[in-house]
Amino acid sequence: MSSMNTEMKSFIAISDIISLLNMSSGFLSVISSINHNFELAAILMIIAIIFDSSDGWVARKTNRQDDLGFGKNIDSLSDIISFGVAPAIFIYSCINTTPGIFQAIVILISLFIVICGVLRLTRYNVIADKLDTKGFIGFPIPGISFVIATFYLSGLFNPYIALILSVIISLLMISNIKYPKFDNIPVIAISAVLILILILPINIIIFNINVPALILLLFCLYYLIINLIKM
């Protein structure tokens, strides 16, 4: 160990830079939430998901050699910022400004999101190389950012429902429920187009409802619920 090359360039690869872009998007989302720019914060969480979905693909395409687990660790540490801290701060900053909601409850639920996120990612790192599974144990952590972001952008955001969803999704993240990897190509293609529309942004509004955001929200909730029914 004493002779190991510890220069950063010997560890970091292109896929790790993408993981850092994921983390950077999550951090900027936190800053936006603190500044009460919630639309931008929601969009940045979605952008973080795009980077998170890309780093593994890039690692495979570039034949990333990661015997020491640097890539796995930087990915998880980035995820806790983007899909643990970012949605928690979003919930706290957005809902804490809404009259009638007890502040302590909002703080506790925000903290609960982060705790469950850390537990979810730590368990994943521990079992990833020891368990032969083609899916996920527990709801994938990016899902909570995706639900909260699309719920807000849809124009249907309700603070009470958001808090309930946050608790339910956090519990499902640390559950033992198996979620398959989402490989429905047509739905993935449609989702990619809808996400692009949200990011650009191209406003498709009907009765004050952002249609692309609503469809993406329903896709994610369907994925969450259908696997509960199949238990």
Side-chain angles (χ1 to χ4, degrees), residues 98-175:
T98 304
I101 293 185
F102 189 46
Q103 187 180 42
I105 294 176
V106 179
I107 293 172
L108 287 173
I109 291 177
S110 300
L111 176 60
F112 188 63
I113 293 171
V114 179
I115 290 172
C116 290
V118 170
L119 291 173
R120 169 72 172 77
L121 291 169
T122 304
R123 180 177 64 180
Y124 173 79
N125 284 348
V126 170
I127 68 175
D129 300 326
K130 300 177 179 65
L131 193 63
D132 184 19
T133 177
K134 295 181 180 179
F136 306 99
I137 305 298
F139 189 66
I141 188 172
I144 191 164
S145 284
F146 196 77
V147 168
I148 290 172
T150 53
F151 188 25
Y152 183 84
L153 293 172
S154 70
L156 297 173
F157 189 80
N158 178 282
Y160 298 98
I161 295 175
L163 288 175
I164 294 169
L165 280 174
S166 296
V167 172
I168 292 172
I169 296 173
S170 295
L171 289 171
L172 289 174
M173 287 195 300
I174 60 173
S175 72

